[in-house]
mmCIF file of all heavy atoms in Angstrom:
data_model
loop_
_atom_site.group_PDB
_atom_site.id
_atom_site.type_symbol
_atom_site.label_atom_id
_atom_site.label_comp_id
_atom_site.label_asym_id
_atom_site.label_seq_id
_atom_site.Cartn_x
_atom_site.Cartn_y
_atom_site.Cartn_z
ATOM 1 N N LEU V 132 74.590 93.099 95.790
ATOM 2 C CA LEU V 132 74.978 93.758 97.033
ATOM 3 C C LEU V 132 74.147 95.020 97.216
ATOM 4 O O LEU V 132 74.045 95.833 96.311
ATOM 5 C CB LEU V 132 76.459 94.142 96.993
ATOM 6 C CG LEU V 132 77.451 93.011 96.765
ATOM 7 C CD1 LEU V 132 78.835 93.571 96.513
ATOM 8 C CD2 LEU V 132 77.453 92.072 97.961
ATOM 9 N N ASP V 133 73.564 95.177 98.387
ATOM 10 C CA ASP V 133 72.783 96.367 98.706
ATOM 11 C C ASP V 133 73.663 97.282 99.567
ATOM 12 O O ASP V 133 73.470 97.401 100.768
ATOM 13 C CB ASP V 133 71.509 95.979 99.439
ATOM 14 C CG ASP V 133 70.579 97.157 99.619
ATOM 15 O OD1 ASP V 133 70.689 98.128 98.841
ATOM 16 O OD2 ASP V 133 69.747 97.104 100.543
ATOM 17 N N ILE V 134 74.669 97.904 98.919
ATOM 18 C CA ILE V 134 75.636 98.745 99.615
ATOM 19 C C ILE V 134 75.688 100.098 98.918
ATOM 20 O O ILE V 134 75.951 100.173 97.725
ATOM 21 C CB ILE V 134 77.048 98.102 99.580
ATOM 22 C CG1 ILE V 134 77.028 96.728 100.237
ATOM 23 C CG2 ILE V 134 78.053 99.011 100.258
ATOM 24 C CD1 ILE V 134 78.309 95.948 100.045
ATOM 25 N N ASP V 135 75.433 101.161 99.662
ATOM 26 C CA ASP V 135 75.526 102.502 99.096
ATOM 27 C C ASP V 135 76.962 103.012 99.142
ATOM 28 O O ASP V 135 77.525 103.393 98.138
ATOM 29 C CB ASP V 135 74.608 103.473 99.840
ATOM 30 C CG ASP V 135 73.134 103.169 99.608
ATOM 31 O OD1 ASP V 135 72.804 102.698 98.503
ATOM 32 O OD2 ASP V 135 72.338 103.387 100.526
ATOM 33 N N LYS V 136 77.545 103.030 100.323
ATOM 34 C CA LYS V 136 78.927 103.471 100.496
ATOM 35 C C LYS V 136 79.713 102.310 101.083
ATOM 36 O O LYS V 136 79.392 101.813 102.153
ATOM 37 C CB LYS V 136 79.000 104.682 101.418
ATOM 38 C CG LYS V 136 80.408 105.183 101.610
ATOM 39 C CD LYS V 136 80.410 106.606 102.098
ATOM 40 C CE LYS V 136 81.778 107.081 102.507
ATOM 41 N NZ LYS V 136 82.757 107.119 101.470
ATOM 42 N N MET V 137 80.743 101.890 100.373
ATOM 43 C CA MET V 137 81.506 100.731 100.785
ATOM 44 C C MET V 137 82.559 101.111 101.828
ATOM 45 O O MET V 137 83.353 102.004 101.611
ATOM 46 C CB MET V 137 82.184 100.100 99.562
ATOM 47 C CG MET V 137 82.689 98.721 99.834
ATOM 48 S SD MET V 137 83.256 97.897 98.348
ATOM 49 C CE MET V 137 81.783 97.802 97.383
ATOM 50 N N SER V 138 82.546 100.410 102.953
ATOM 51 C CA SER V 138 83.539 100.657 103.992
ATOM 52 C C SER V 138 84.847 99.949 103.639
ATOM 53 O O SER V 138 84.894 99.103 102.749
ATOM 54 C CB SER V 138 83.027 100.167 105.348
ATOM 55 O OG SER V 138 83.031 98.754 105.390
ATOM 56 N N PHE V 139 85.899 100.295 104.362
ATOM 57 C CA PHE V 139 87.216 99.715 104.100
ATOM 58 C C PHE V 139 87.255 98.209 104.344
ATOM 59 O O PHE V 139 88.015 97.498 103.706
ATOM 60 C CB PHE V 139 88.287 100.380 104.969
ATOM 61 C CG PHE V 139 88.486 101.830 104.672
ATOM 62 C CD1 PHE V 139 88.329 102.782 105.657
ATOM 63 C CD2 PHE V 139 88.830 102.257 103.404
ATOM 64 C CE1 PHE V 139 88.516 104.124 105.387
ATOM 65 C CE2 PHE V 139 89.021 103.595 103.117
ATOM 66 C CZ PHE V 139 88.866 104.535 104.110
ATOM 67 N N LYS V 140 86.453 97.727 105.248
ATOM 68 C CA LYS V 140 86.464 96.305 105.614
ATOM 69 C C LYS V 140 85.242 95.560 105.082
ATOM 70 O O LYS V 140 84.896 94.498 105.586
ATOM 71 C CB LYS V 140 86.541 96.148 107.135
ATOM 72 C CG LYS V 140 87.840 96.619 107.721
ATOM 73 C CD LYS V 140 88.952 95.674 107.339
ATOM 74 C CE LYS V 140 90.248 96.057 108.007
ATOM 75 N NZ LYS V 140 91.327 95.176 107.645
ATOM 76 N N GLU V 141 84.605 96.096 104.046
ATOM 77 C CA GLU V 141 83.385 95.488 103.500
ATOM 78 C C GLU V 141 83.687 94.102 102.922
ATOM 79 O O GLU V 141 84.672 93.907 102.225
ATOM 80 C CB GLU V 141 82.817 96.383 102.408
ATOM 81 C CG GLU V 141 81.382 96.101 102.083
ATOM 82 C CD GLU V 141 80.454 96.620 103.166
ATOM 83 O OE1 GLU V 141 80.565 97.785 103.536
ATOM 84 O OE2 GLU V 141 79.614 95.832 103.619
ATOM 85 N N GLU V 142 82.814 93.155 103.233
ATOM 86 C CA GLU V 142 82.915 91.787 102.707
ATOM 87 C C GLU V 142 81.592 91.390 102.072
ATOM 88 O O GLU V 142 80.536 91.885 102.451
ATOM 89 C CB GLU V 142 83.224 90.797 103.834
ATOM 90 C CG GLU V 142 84.588 90.934 104.439
ATOM 91 C CD GLU V 142 84.849 89.883 105.503
ATOM 92 O OE1 GLU V 142 83.910 89.149 105.895
ATOM 93 O OE2 GLU V 142 85.996 89.799 105.957
ATOM 94 N N CYS V 143 81.670 90.465 101.123
ATOM 95 C CA CYS V 143 80.455 89.919 100.523
ATOM 96 C C CYS V 143 79.739 89.076 101.576
ATOM 97 O O CYS V 143 80.357 88.212 102.203
ATOM 98 C CB CYS V 143 80.818 89.053 99.315
ATOM 99 S SG CYS V 143 79.406 88.178 98.606
ATOM 100 N N PRO V 144 78.442 89.307 101.796
ATOM 101 C CA PRO V 144 77.716 88.525 102.797
ATOM 102 C C PRO V 144 77.562 87.056 102.399
ATOM 103 O O PRO V 144 77.347 86.205 103.239
ATOM 104 C CB PRO V 144 76.362 89.214 102.890
ATOM 105 C CG PRO V 144 76.222 89.975 101.621
ATOM 106 C CD PRO V 144 77.603 90.313 101.156
ATOM 107 N N SER V 145 77.715 86.754 101.126
ATOM 108 C CA SER V 145 77.532 85.390 100.649
ATOM 109 C C SER V 145 78.827 84.566 100.701
ATOM 110 O O SER V 145 78.856 83.477 101.244
ATOM 111 C CB SER V 145 76.998 85.418 99.226
ATOM 112 O OG SER V 145 76.834 84.114 98.735
ATOM 113 N N CYS V 146 79.923 85.112 100.138
ATOM 114 C CA CYS V 146 81.158 84.323 100.037
ATOM 115 C C CYS V 146 82.298 84.832 100.924
ATOM 116 O O CYS V 146 83.328 84.182 101.032
ATOM 117 C CB CYS V 146 81.628 84.239 98.582
ATOM 118 S SG CYS V 146 82.217 85.793 97.892
ATOM 119 N N GLY V 147 82.127 86.006 101.553
ATOM 120 C CA GLY V 147 83.134 86.527 102.462
ATOM 121 C C GLY V 147 84.323 87.202 101.795
ATOM 122 O O GLY V 147 85.286 87.559 102.466
ATOM 123 N N THR V 148 84.266 87.415 100.489
ATOM 124 C CA THR V 148 85.355 88.066 99.763
ATOM 125 C C THR V 148 85.472 89.533 100.165
ATOM 126 O O THR V 148 84.471 90.221 100.286
ATOM 127 C CB THR V 148 85.094 87.980 98.243
ATOM 128 O OG1 THR V 148 85.079 86.628 97.852
ATOM 129 C CG2 THR V 148 86.138 88.729 97.449
ATOM 130 N N ASP V 149 86.715 90.003 100.376
ATOM 131 C CA ASP V 149 86.940 91.428 100.609
ATOM 132 C C ASP V 149 86.496 92.182 99.367
ATOM 133 O O ASP V 149 86.815 91.787 98.245
ATOM 134 C CB ASP V 149 88.425 91.714 100.859
ATOM 135 C CG ASP V 149 88.917 91.171 102.184
ATOM 136 O OD1 ASP V 149 88.104 91.038 103.114
ATOM 137 O OD2 ASP V 149 90.122 90.888 102.292
ATOM 138 N N LEU V 150 85.776 93.284 99.538
ATOM 139 C CA LEU V 150 85.271 94.048 98.402
ATOM 140 C C LEU V 150 86.034 95.347 98.165
ATOM 141 O O LEU V 150 86.074 95.844 97.052
ATOM 142 C CB LEU V 150 83.782 94.359 98.595
ATOM 143 C CG LEU V 150 82.866 93.137 98.665
ATOM 144 C CD1 LEU V 150 81.451 93.563 99.005
ATOM 145 C CD2 LEU V 150 82.904 92.366 97.356
ATOM 146 N N HIS V 151 86.641 95.903 99.196
ATOM 147 C CA HIS V 151 87.381 97.166 99.076
ATOM 148 C C HIS V 151 88.842 96.826 98.768
ATOM 149 O O HIS V 151 89.738 96.995 99.594
ATOM 150 C CB HIS V 151 87.256 97.965 100.380
ATOM 151 C CG HIS V 151 87.701 99.380 100.252
ATOM 152 N ND1 HIS V 151 89.019 99.749 100.242
ATOM 153 C CD2 HIS V 151 86.990 100.520 100.124
ATOM 154 C CE1 HIS V 151 89.105 101.053 100.133
ATOM 155 N NE2 HIS V 151 87.874 101.553 100.059
ATOM 156 N N VAL V 152 89.096 96.311 97.562
ATOM 157 C CA VAL V 152 90.433 95.896 97.147
ATOM 158 C C VAL V 152 90.762 96.510 95.788
ATOM 159 O O VAL V 152 89.867 96.828 95.008
ATOM 160 C CB VAL V 152 90.562 94.351 97.065
ATOM 161 C CG1 VAL V 152 90.298 93.714 98.403
ATOM 162 C CG2 VAL V 152 89.654 93.764 96.028
ATOM 163 N N CYS V 153 92.038 96.675 95.516
ATOM 164 C CA CYS V 153 92.478 97.343 94.284
ATOM 165 C C CYS V 153 91.932 96.685 93.017
ATOM 166 O O CYS V 153 91.485 97.374 92.108
ATOM 167 C CB CYS V 153 94.006 97.360 94.211
ATOM 168 S SG CYS V 153 94.779 98.407 95.453
ATOM 169 N N ILE V 154 91.977 95.361 92.952
ATOM 170 C CA ILE V 154 91.585 94.703 91.708
ATOM 171 C C ILE V 154 90.100 94.850 91.393
ATOM 172 O O ILE V 154 89.678 94.580 90.275
ATOM 173 C CB ILE V 154 92.002 93.210 91.671
ATOM 174 C CG1 ILE V 154 91.358 92.438 92.812
ATOM 175 C CG2 ILE V 154 93.509 93.088 91.678
ATOM 176 C CD1 ILE V 154 91.606 90.936 92.751
ATOM 177 N N TYR V 155 89.295 95.306 92.359
ATOM 178 C CA TYR V 155 87.879 95.542 92.120
ATOM 179 C C TYR V 155 87.561 97.029 91.971
ATOM 180 O O TYR V 155 86.410 97.432 91.988
ATOM 181 C CB TYR V 155 87.024 94.963 93.244
ATOM 182 C CG TYR V 155 87.164 93.475 93.421
ATOM 183 C CD1 TYR V 155 87.002 92.885 94.666
ATOM 184 C CD2 TYR V 155 87.453 92.635 92.359
ATOM 185 C CE1 TYR V 155 87.117 91.516 94.847
ATOM 186 C CE2 TYR V 155 87.588 91.273 92.531
ATOM 187 C CZ TYR V 155 87.413 90.721 93.780
ATOM 188 O OH TYR V 155 87.535 89.369 93.948
ATOM 189 N N CYS V 156 88.591 97.857 91.823
ATOM 190 C CA CYS V 156 88.425 99.305 91.734
ATOM 191 C C CYS V 156 88.446 99.769 90.276
ATOM 192 O O CYS V 156 89.188 99.221 89.451
ATOM 193 C CB CYS V 156 89.556 99.985 92.504
ATOM 194 S SG CYS V 156 89.515 101.785 92.456
ATOM 195 N N ARG V 157 87.679 100.794 89.963
ATOM 196 C CA ARG V 157 87.656 101.367 88.608
ATOM 197 C C ARG V 157 88.994 101.987 88.228
ATOM 198 O O ARG V 157 89.305 102.120 87.053
ATOM 199 C CB ARG V 157 86.577 102.431 88.507
ATOM 200 C CG ARG V 157 85.199 101.895 88.504
ATOM 201 C CD ARG V 157 84.199 102.998 88.345
ATOM 202 N NE ARG V 157 82.866 102.423 88.459
ATOM 203 C CZ ARG V 157 81.773 103.116 88.523
ATOM 204 N NH1 ARG V 157 81.822 104.436 88.474
ATOM 205 N NH2 ARG V 157 80.608 102.529 88.629
ATOM 206 N N LEU V 158 89.775 102.383 89.201
ATOM 207 C CA LEU V 158 91.062 103.036 88.930
ATOM 208 C C LEU V 158 92.205 102.042 88.751
ATOM 209 O O LEU V 158 93.305 102.429 88.377
ATOM 210 C CB LEU V 158 91.401 104.006 90.071
ATOM 211 C CG LEU V 158 90.398 105.135 90.284
ATOM 212 C CD1 LEU V 158 90.742 105.922 91.531
ATOM 213 C CD2 LEU V 158 90.345 106.033 89.063
ATOM 214 N N TYR V 159 91.973 100.758 88.994
ATOM 215 C CA TYR V 159 93.011 99.743 88.862
ATOM 216 C C TYR V 159 93.419 99.619 87.395
ATOM 217 O O TYR V 159 92.577 99.487 86.516
ATOM 218 C CB TYR V 159 92.506 98.396 89.375
ATOM 219 C CG TYR V 159 93.534 97.291 89.319
ATOM 220 C CD1 TYR V 159 94.584 97.263 90.211
ATOM 221 C CD2 TYR V 159 93.442 96.287 88.370
ATOM 222 C CE1 TYR V 159 95.527 96.252 90.175
ATOM 223 C CE2 TYR V 159 94.380 95.278 88.327
ATOM 224 C CZ TYR V 159 95.419 95.261 89.224
ATOM 225 O OH TYR V 159 96.347 94.258 89.181
ATOM 226 N N ASP V 160 94.722 99.694 87.141
ATOM 227 C CA ASP V 160 95.233 99.642 85.770
ATOM 228 C C ASP V 160 96.629 99.038 85.785
ATOM 229 O O ASP V 160 97.559 99.630 86.337
ATOM 230 C CB ASP V 160 95.274 101.048 85.184
ATOM 231 C CG ASP V 160 95.632 101.091 83.712
ATOM 232 O OD1 ASP V 160 96.165 100.094 83.184
ATOM 233 O OD2 ASP V 160 95.374 102.133 83.080
ATOM 234 N N GLU V 161 96.775 97.869 85.203
ATOM 235 C CA GLU V 161 98.066 97.155 85.175
ATOM 236 C C GLU V 161 99.180 97.986 84.537
ATOM 237 O O GLU V 161 100.335 97.811 84.856
ATOM 238 C CB GLU V 161 97.930 95.833 84.411
ATOM 239 C CG GLU V 161 97.155 94.770 85.133
ATOM 240 C CD GLU V 161 97.961 94.069 86.202
ATOM 241 O OE1 GLU V 161 99.197 94.079 86.148
ATOM 242 O OE2 GLU V 161 97.321 93.510 87.102
#
């Protein structure tokens, strides 16, 4: 991904997956 700052509605251009989600965040902790 060639993204510097991720927007709230950012999606992967290839598969369409939402990218700005909790499970993909460094702060996510079960």
Side-chain angles (χ1 to χ4, degrees):
L132 302 170
D133 188 23
I134 301 171
D135 292 328
K136 181 160 171 63
M137 195 171 297
S138 72
F139 296 122
K140 293 290 185 181
E141 198 74 51
E142 292 183 351
C143 174
S145 179
C146 69
T148 297
D149 290 333
L150 298 174
H151 193 282
V152 300
C153 292
I154 60 174
Y155 299 150
C156 179
R157 288 182 185 172
L158 299 173
Y159 182 73
D160 187 343
E161 288 281 338

